[in-house]
Amino acid sequence: MIDTIAVAGLRKCFAEVEAVSEISFSVRQGELFGFLGPNGAGKTTTINMLTGLARPDSGTICIGGIDCTGKPRAAQYLVGVVPDESNLYPELTGFDNLCFCAALHGLRKAERQARARELIDIFDLTKAAHRKFGGYSRGMKRRLTIAAGIIHKPEILFLDEPTTGIDVASARQLRHLIADLHRAGTTIFLTTHYIEEAERLCDRIAFIVSGRIVRIDTVDNLVQPMQVKNVVQLTCENALTDIEARLSESFPDLKFNDIGKGLIRVEGDAPIRVGPLVRFLEDQGGEVSEARRMRPSLEDVFVRITGIEADAMRKEKEKAGGGQ
Amino acid sequence: MKLWIAFWNILHKDMRTYYLKPPNISWGLIFPLAWTGMFFIKSGSALGSIQTLLPGVVAISILFGTTSMLAVTVTFEKKNRSFERLLLAPIPLEVLMLAKTGGAILFGVANAFVPVVMAVFLIDLSQVAWGAFIPAVFLIAVASTFLGLFIAVAVSEVFEAQTFSNFFRFPMIFLCGLFFPVEKLPVFLKPISYALPLTYGADVLHGAVHGGHAMPFSLDLALLSAFCVGLFVVSLHNIRRRWIV
């Protein structure tokens, strides 16, 4: 696969503070790459360097095959950027904002108006299209800002904390839209502090802490080393008496735990075959409605690797930028 | 063609959005008119004095109008981060800043003709050398706009831009020969006068309106053009240094 973004030894200091410390990574064409880290980790500084809003102190950046080292704005025609805060014009309407952003990329009037209408429909902003952007709710502002970022159909999209500070329904809608863009072939560079969002959306993830990338891999590969034991959770619709002892007797290699409310947790050193367990429970009069293979979450991995509690990271960000 | 689309839309948006903002109305229109009134009353309300006052009034209308506009179009947009959207567009910085300043230049030119239109009803302007007057108005607007850009890039708040602008604007009223001839200034102030672009613009305006100019028009306009280029280049350098950090 071709690398659409290739970064090597990128470093950026602000006075005495090293915001980004010699990071290297690459993003493949069509990939949704997550950049995950707490506040102040260097996520936005990295995006700024990649998009030409900041000049690296050292290192190289190559975007879409264009060497942007020393020419930070050279590849801007290839990229769309959705910043962490909406930066559209409050005195223009939603529709006019989109048309203006399209004009910045050289789209002709008929073309930009058609594209603006299309995106306003997709982002469910039809009723607010001719209202001033300054009067939009947070969720609507985020949606219009993302629409503005893709108005020129960029090959590469940088999304900086797209769901921070918006309500659950809007965040969910945005995730669907991001997934749709990814399916359509857009290369997406996503920074977020919501671990579950990264886990759900991203092909590969980089953990960045204090300006350093501590790990890059696919979600599966990140989670795999944590998966020391195989765990399955069975759900029975009816309660069975003394089922834990009966199961232990019949399956001595497995460890059972009757959690209550019909939930039975099964642990084993080898992969667990669910069929015999379900048949056994049904023979005992149980009505098994679900068998789910449990695996460690990306959050467990993040905490293990970085030592930062995910919940603390989320609360810190929400204090700064409003809750999701 | 694509650059032209971006250029025109930036210019058009600024004109549509910012021309009637309060700082532009107060500093760009009301303030020069108040100054005109003050000088007119001081001159004993004689209609003949309008001809000698007109070049100065035109020049301060342009100066205050353009510099106020830049404080809004550049400093305000930088403050609320919408300027980042322009910096992220695939447009050369030179073209982007020409588009951002284009609206202010046109505003300055329009401001210049407010006192001219008023004067038409009071005195005979048939003797005015419009061939020199109009280029001078345009170049004063360009130089003042780029001075405004230089100031707007140096600060981060709109009120700072207005305050910092006054640091340049008020001395220029007295030092650039708008209402008091440069030749009559104390010797130690003359070098400062000649280091200010408005001195050359005002000289052309005086010459065009009532024939009282100190230097050839061509030299005045050449020096004014040089100031325009210099201020634009320095401002671009500062934008690259301060905003693409």
Side-chain angles (χ1 to χ4, degrees), chain A residues 179-240:
Chain A
D180 287 346
L181 286 170
H182 178 41
R183 272 192 292 276
T186 308
T187 305
I188 300 176
F189 185 96
L190 170 83
T191 77
T192 184
H193 64 279
Y194 292 124
I195 295 173
E196 62 278 19
E197 179 171 279
E199 184 171 11
R200 209 176 302 169
L201 290 170
C202 298
D203 299 320
R204 282 193 308 145
I205 288 170
F207 290 151
I208 180 167
V209 180
S210 304
R212 292 170 197 277
I213 291 181
V214 291
R215 189 76 190 272
I216 304 177
D217 218 324
T218 61
V219 175
D220 285 343
N221 286 348
L222 285 167
V223 169
Q224 192 61 41
M226 296 278 289
Q227 204 157 356
V228 180
K229 284 197 177 223
N230 296 281
V231 181
V232 168
Q233 189 171 281
L234 300 162
T235 308
C236 284
E237 290 302 308
N238 53 335
L240 299 169

Side-chain angles (χ1 to χ4, degrees), chain A residues 306-321:
Chain A
T306 66
I308 298 167
E309 284 297 332
D311 201 38
M313 184 168 90
R314 190 162 36 233
K315 280 179 183 158
E316 184 192 336
K317 184 73 192 182
E318 282 169 1
K319 216 186 285 175

Side-chain angles (χ1 to χ4, degrees), chain A residues 144-155:
Chain A
L144 196 78
T145 308
I146 294 180
I150 60 168
I151 189 95
H152 57 294
K153 299 181 181 170
E155 289 175 28

Side-chain angles (χ1 to χ4, degrees), chain A residues 1-151:
Chain A
M1 253 187 170
I2 305 161
D3 284 340
T4 298
I5 302 171
V7 166
L10 203 61
R11 183 170 179 266
K12 180 74 184 174
C13 295
F14 295 105
E16 300 294 303
V17 182
E18 192 175 40
V20 172
S21 177
E22 296 195 4
I23 59 170
S24 301
F25 61 89
S26 60
V27 181
R28 295 162 197 150
Q29 193 173 28
E31 187 175 35
L32 205 165
F33 186 84
F35 213 51
L36 194 65
N39 258 0
K43 302 190 296 291
T44 299
T45 303
T46 304
I47 281 205
N48 284 348
M49 286 191 281
L50 295 178
T51 56
L53 287 180
R55 213 181 294 275
D57 293 334
S58 61
T60 58
I61 299 170
C62 193
I63 293 179
I66 299 166
D67 184 2
C68 300
T69 315
K71 292 174 284 175
R73 303 178 73 234
Q76 280 176 327
Y77 69 96
L78 290 175
V79 307
V81 182
V82 178
D84 56 346
E85 279 176 43
S86 298
N87 64 356
L88 293 169
Y89 297 90
E91 55 284 301
L92 296 186
T93 66
F95 181 77
D96 287 345
N97 261 302
L98 290 185
C99 287
F100 178 70
C101 292
L104 292 179
H105 289 271
L107 271 70
R108 289 170 192 278
K109 192 174 181 182
E111 198 182 348
R112 58 180 182 256
Q113 287 185 343
R115 180 80 175 135
R117 277 190 211 102
E118 180 193 344
L119 287 175
I120 274 173
D121 282 346
I122 292 172
F123 284 80
D124 197 18
L125 290 165
T126 313
K127 283 182 189 163
H130 297 287
R131 269 171 42 201
K132 286 193 174 173
F133 179 72
Y136 278 22
S137 69
R138 261 180 181 238
M140 289 159 79
K141 280 184 176 170
R142 287 310 284 160
R143 275 183 277 153
L144 196 78
T145 308
I146 294 180
I150 60 168
I151 189 95

Side-chain angles (χ1 to χ4, degrees), chain B residues 18-36 57 60-69 71-72 107 111 114 158-159 162-163 165-166 169-170 173:
Chain B
Y18 298 126
Y19 268 18
L20 294 177
K21 285 269 177 191
N24 292 336
I25 302 286
S26 59
W27 287 105
L29 292 170
I30 297 172
F31 184 77
L33 288 176
W35 270 76
T36 314
V57 176
I60 61 166
S61 296
I62 301 170
L63 178 67
F64 278 79
T66 51
T67 45
S68 304
M69 181 95 174
V72 183
F107 185 66
N111 265 13
V114 173
V158 174
F159 78 87
Q162 297 289 9
T163 310
S165 294
N166 287 339
R169 293 189 293 201
F170 281 100
I173 293 174

